[in-house]
Amino acid sequence: MSDTDSILVVDDDPRILRLVGHYLQREGYSVRMATSVDEAREQLSALPPSLVILDVGLPGEDGFTFAREIRSQSDIPIIMLTGRSETVDKVVGLELGADDYITKPFGMRELAARIQAVLRRAAKESAVASEVLRSGELMMDKGSHVVKVREEAVNLTPSEFDLLAVL
């Protein structure tokens, strides 16, 4: 966990929000809360968090739909936290882009451990994505998809870039 890790908790149950929010703040996270998808959208656009904890059963728009929306725009890690424990619900949540799926009731220590694991994985992926490779006069930034030879940018198609990246 870094000093800047913030978590957006989206749940329509005020008890869950209080419980999770208080525990995560004690664990050193900056916590913001939303009780609906509309509130969560506002929070995301104002200041994207490091991770979203998302309930499925929200009033109006459900968490599955919102997870799909988040994933289409961002790689922010998502942990589904829900009372839906059927295998099909878990599979749908993960297929829509959730990084983990926790069913209620849950233990706070388990939630904290899963948050740490997801954030650790996301940090590693981010580090790989921003990896800069150099070989002689060739420079390749995997994160920004920039290739330069002798400090001159080289225009490559995405396929050409991917081929070069594996060499």
Side-chain angles (χ1 to χ4, degrees), residues 17-163:
L17 286 177
R18 272 194 313 275
L19 194 71
V20 171
H22 180 71
Y23 186 83
L24 294 179
Q25 286 173 339
R26 280 197 355 232
E27 290 290 309
Y29 295 100
S30 169
V31 179
R32 292 181 287 146
M33 300 176 203
T35 58
S36 69
V37 169
D38 288 337
E39 282 181 40
R41 267 193 202 102
E42 289 176 24
Q43 295 268 359
L44 281 171
S45 65
L47 182 63
S50 303
L51 180 137
V52 175
I53 296 175
L54 181 60
D55 186 16
V56 172
L58 295 167
E61 199 172 343
D62 71 25
F64 287 144
T65 304
F66 190 48
R68 180 185 305 121
E69 179 183 323
I70 292 170
R71 191 55 65 232
S72 73
Q73 301 168 7
S74 169
D75 288 331
I76 295 171
I78 301 168
I79 296 178
M80 304 300 285
L81 180 64
T82 179
R84 295 188 185 182
S85 61
E86 296 294 320
T87 300
V88 69
D89 291 319
K90 294 175 185 179
V91 169
V92 167
L94 294 168
E95 285 179 346
L96 291 174
D99 297 277
D100 203 348
Y101 194 104
I102 303 172
T103 57
K104 298 174 185 174
F106 58 94
M108 287 298 173
R109 291 182 65 199
E110 178 186 5
L111 175 62
R114 288 176 181 260
I115 288 169
Q116 288 173 353
V118 168
L119 288 174
R120 190 171 47 247
R121 237 182 353 258
K124 284 181 184 175
E125 289 172 5
S126 177
V128 168
S130 65
E131 184 179 357
V132 175
L133 304 174
R134 296 184 186 278
S135 178
E137 296 179 333
L138 174 73
M139 184 282 300
M140 178 179 196
D141 185 332
K142 288 186 169 184
S144 64
H145 284 239
V146 171
V147 175
K148 291 183 180 180
V149 175
R150 292 186 289 286
E151 299 303 315
E152 293 285 325
V154 178
N155 291 323
L156 298 175
T157 67
S159 297
E160 291 169 333
F161 184 90
D162 290 343
L163 283 172

